[in-house]
Amino acid sequence: MLRPFIHYGIHFGLPLLVALFFFKKEWKKAFVIMVLGLLIDLDHLLATPIFSNNRCSINFHPLHTYYAIVVYILLLIPNRTRLIGIGLVIHIIADYTDCWLMGF
């Protein structure tokens, strides 16, 4: 019961905190860009079933593989892609936490 609150709390709460603390002048824009990291969940449409409550996304879906995670980390380096990278890394942290809470 607590797992969804933690999972979605990280998905939305952590980007909000990062936006408020590090991007004060444009926190709304920063928040929206980081939350757009949720779009990598479109790769769930390739799975059968599309949603499984007990499936760990990490290294199962194409945009959640370790190779993709390396790309997300590299996006943190250039200033132009940093917000996108932060959003994607936060997404992976949320999914990894969800896997950890499942016992994987």
Side-chain angles (χ1 to χ4, degrees):
M1 175 99 169
L2 193 57
R3 200 174 108 214
F5 289 107
I6 294 171
H7 181 77
Y8 291 107
I10 294 171
H11 271 306
F12 294 100
L14 192 53
L16 181 61
L17 289 174
V18 169
L20 290 172
F21 282 108
F22 297 106
F23 302 95
K24 292 177 184 178
K25 291 181 181 179
E26 294 186 340
W27 72 269
K28 291 177 187 175
K29 175 184 170 186
F31 175 70
V32 168
I33 291 170
M34 286 185 280
V35 169
L36 286 174
L38 288 169
L39 289 174
I40 67 170
D41 275 343
L42 289 173
D43 64 356
H44 290 242
L45 296 173
L46 301 173
T48 305
I50 292 173
F51 175 76
S52 176
N53 193 36
N54 293 319
R55 179 173 56 215
C56 178
S57 295
I58 303 297
N59 219 33
F60 182 84
H61 300 292
L63 296 176
H64 292 71
T65 62
Y66 297 126
Y67 299 111
I69 294 168
V70 169
V71 173
Y72 305 153
I73 292 169
L74 292 174
L75 287 172
L76 297 171
I77 298 168
N79 198 32
R80 320 185 301 237
T81 60
R82 189 163 295 143
L83 280 173
I84 297 166
I86 293 170
L88 293 169
V89 169
I90 289 172
H91 182 100
I92 294 300
I93 290 168
D95 285 359
Y96 181 80
T97 303
D98 197 46
C99 294
W100 181 71
L101 291 170
M102 282 189 285
F104 286 92

